Every structure is written in structure tokens, then in C-alpha cells.
Amino acid sequence: MSQEFDQCWQGRIDSEDGDQGLRCHQVVRPFDASSQPGVTLVGLASDLGVQYNQGRPGAKQGPMAIRKAMASMAWHSDKPLHDAGDIVVAAESNLDALAQGQQQYAQQVAQILTQQQFVIGLGGGHEIGWASYQGCRQYLDDQHHTSAKVGILNFDAHFDLRKPAPGAHWAGSSGTPFYQVSQDCAQRGLAFKYACLGISEAANTQALFNFAQQKNVSYVLDVNCSPEANQALINDFLADIDYLYVTICLDVLPAATAPGVSAPSALGLPLIQMLAALKDIQQQCQQHNVRWLMADIAELNPDFDIDQRTAKVAARLVYELIKIQNNRGIPE
């Protein structure tokens, strides 16, 4: 961890400005048992989910690319920023290894949450979604909140509600995470609370729309996204949950904004709308007394990026999430 930490957290130093010239690489610290409440990054470096979903491999390098793009960003807070490193799934592994990696990541998320951190997961393919949910659920189970309603708000061109291949239900792929969550909720006797912003009609089959309707999934199509429509979905969704997990698949953004993804979008949700929605989520969480546990960012593929365009967008999203959390205070 130390060598990788030092390699990615390097950047410009403005020593002439003292503490007012600080950048992210100067304030981030490795996460450990003594870390004070703040924000903690943790990655799931995996390509297998994308490969099993017939996508373009390369997302395994996403977490490190995001950190490197963040390193020289200016720091405007006096609250801690930690990095817990990556859970790495070897590209030549099988579904058993992916399931093990997802479980290790989930355990790490649960542990970080117990230390009063806001968690930001770094992908990797969107198989991080199933792992992040398991981490939130494990944390709540450990806190004896087994019946708590966990809502998942997904910024994505895809529902990611595909059924796993036969015999692969324990790990799935980057296209199956929220189907897996729906099955887990059914086993627990809990309602499946899931909503999406930016869904592409062209990228989802009728079977997926039918399943979303059966499961009462609320969504806004990319062609219908607007500040008003996004805000209405967020407000209605947060009114009926206890805890929130937000997940961002970078393929929801226009291809010109995010070319370095597994499946670039022909239309996409404008980045400025996403940033506004994230701020609205924070405000609505406060109004509805919902605790926002974590967020993650998936599908950055540096192999297909242009001028680090997508990595910089992902880093800016992490930056904005940190800013939102620091402005609202540390979770209780």
C-alpha cells in the first residue's frame, strides 16, 4: 500500500502559499484503525465484471487513474481525507475470485463505515455496485439495523438489472449488480429501493424495462432528464428510505465528456445536471432525515480515455462528493 500510495499521490506543491496552497496529495493519509472521522476512498480494481458482460476490458486501472487525476486538485477543507487502497481482482481470474474480491471490498466498506467515515468507492467495473451494497448491508446488520431500508440511486445509461449467467449468481457481472440486490432484498423480506437517472431506451431491452416495472424501479430517461425531473425523482425516492447509497456509472455521461468507459453513450446526461443532482441529494437527505452512507464511481477505462478526459471527470466527481460531505458535516 505504501509504495502504491506514494506513486499515485504526487503533484504540484505551492510552498510559498503555506496551508492556503494545499492540494489533495498533501492532505490525504492512509486509512487505518486510528483514522479520524472524514472521507475515505477505497477501490475495487476489477475487469472481470466487464468482461463477463461482453464489454471492453481496462477498467481495472480505473481506481489508480482517478487518484492520479485527483492528486493536484486544490484542497479547501480542514477535515480528513483517507485512502484505504484497492482490493485487486486479477484479470485472469474466474468468478470465484471476483466473488471473493467483492466480499473483501464489502468487508472493507463495512469496517470503514464503523469508523464514522463517508465512503467513496473507486471502480473498476460496475460489479462494484453489488460489493458496495453488501458493505452497506453488512455495516447495518452489525449495527442491528437489519430491517433498515437502503435506497440505491444510480446515475447510469443502463439499469444493470440483468440476470447472472446460470451458476454465476454469487458474482455476476457489471450488468447484474442491482438484480443481485433485488434478490438479496427478497431473501431478507425487504422492499427493493432502487432508482436511476439517465437511462437510455436504446441501451436496455424490453425485458429489462419489464423487470424494472415489476420491481417498482423509478427512473428518468436520458431524453427526459432536466433539473426539475431529476429533483422530483430524488425527492420522491428519498422520502421512503432510511439510508442511501449513490452509484455513478461514467457511461451515463455524453461520450465527448467521458470517452474512456466500457460503453460510451451516444446521448448521455450532462455533467452539470449530475453535479446539481448530487447537491440536491445532500439537501434532500437532510430534509428527509436520510443518512447518506457512501457513493462509488464505476467504469473508468483508462485504455480508451482521451487526454485523461474521463479520469479528470471522475476525479472532479469525487472532489464534489467530498465537498458535499464536508460541507454537511461528518455522518453520525
Side-chain angles (χ1 to χ4, degrees):
M1 169 66 178
S2 178
Q3 183 177 0
E4 292 181 347
F5 184 94
D6 293 339
Q7 287 176 348
C8 64
W9 292 113
Q10 298 181 23
R12 174 172 174 158
I13 297 176
D14 298 320
S15 55
E16 69 276 12
D17 294 326
D19 289 347
Q20 294 185 357
L22 291 175
R23 299 175 184 273
C24 288
H25 72 93
Q26 294 171 281
V27 299
V28 65
R29 297 291 181 266
F31 175 81
D32 59 34
S34 64
S35 294
Q36 296 299 306
V39 175
T40 296
L41 312 176
V42 59
L44 180 62
S46 170
D47 253 345
L48 281 184
V50 173
Q51 292 180 44
Y52 278 101
N53 199 35
Q54 304 179 41
R56 305 190 296 182
K60 181 181 176 183
Q61 307 304 321
M64 282 300 173
I66 295 174
R67 291 182 178 94
K68 289 179 179 179
M70 281 184 64
S72 286
M73 285 183 162
W75 186 251
H76 296 281
S77 175
D78 59 357
K79 298 189 172 104
L81 173 63
H82 312 290
D83 185 0
D86 292 336
I87 302 299
V88 179
V89 179
E92 63 276 9
S93 299
N94 55 29
L95 281 174
D96 287 329
L98 175 56
Q100 292 171 7
Q102 288 173 313
Q103 186 57 40
Q104 291 172 5
Y105 169 91
Q107 291 171 352
Q108 181 77 293
V109 166
Q111 176 57 42
I112 295 169
L113 286 170
T114 63
Q115 292 184 222
Q116 301 300 300
Q117 307 288 324
F118 180 82
V119 181
I120 299 179
L122 308 177
H126 216 167
E127 61 267 30
I128 197 175
W130 171 231
S132 289
Y133 166 80
Q134 289 184 91
C136 292
R137 199 79 253 182
Q138 181 179 326
Y139 164 73
L140 292 171
D141 288 349
D142 291 344
Q143 301 295 313
H144 307 292
H145 299 317
T146 55
S147 61
K149 291 182 286 187
V150 178
I152 303 173
L153 183 53
N154 183 19
F155 291 84
D156 204 329
H158 308 87
F159 281 119
D160 288 344
L161 288 169
R162 297 180 185 275
K163 296 179 181 179
H169 63 278
W170 67 92
S173 73
S174 63
T176 66
F178 307 114
Y179 175 87
Q180 292 169 279
V181 173
S182 74
Q183 299 304 102
D184 182 78
C185 289
Q187 291 175 5
R188 293 171 177 267
L190 299 174
F192 177 46
K193 299 293 184 179
Y194 179 54
C196 303
L197 284 173
I199 290 293
S200 167
E201 184 178 26
N204 295 271
T205 64
Q206 189 61 51
L208 292 170
F209 277 98
N210 290 345
F211 186 78
Q213 184 176 14
Q214 293 169 13
K215 292 296 182 178
N216 296 314
V217 176
S218 53
Y219 60 89
V220 180
L221 294 174
D222 51 8
V223 294
N224 295 330
C225 281
S226 68
E228 295 76 18
N230 300 343
Q231 187 177 55
L233 179 143
I234 291 166
N235 184 58
D236 290 345
F237 185 67
L238 293 181
D240 191 36
I241 62 173
D242 303 310
Y243 296 89
L244 177 67
Y245 151 46
V246 171
T247 182
I248 299 171
C249 185
L250 293 167
D251 70 19
V252 75
L253 295 166
T257 304
V261 295
S262 174
S265 177
L267 181 60
L269 173 71
L271 179 59
I272 193 67
Q273 283 194 30
M274 183 187 293
L275 294 177
L278 290 172
K279 292 178 182 177
D280 190 52
I281 289 169
Q282 180 259 332
Q283 294 171 358
Q284 294 297 327
C285 278
Q286 291 179 328
Q287 292 184 22
H288 292 292
N289 197 28
V290 172
R291 180 177 166 189
W292 188 354
L293 291 175
M294 72 169 296
D296 60 33
I297 295 178
E299 300 283 343
L300 170 60
N301 189 329
D303 289 348
F304 295 94
D305 210 358
I306 301 171
D307 297 329
Q308 298 181 306
R309 197 180 299 168
T310 317
K312 291 176 180 177
V313 168
R316 180 59 185 265
L317 287 168
V318 174
Y319 182 89
E320 292 297 327
L321 286 165
I322 293 171
K323 181 179 175 181
I324 287 169
Q325 295 305 314
N326 284 344
N327 284 347
R328 79 173 177 92
I330 301 301
E332 296 180 358

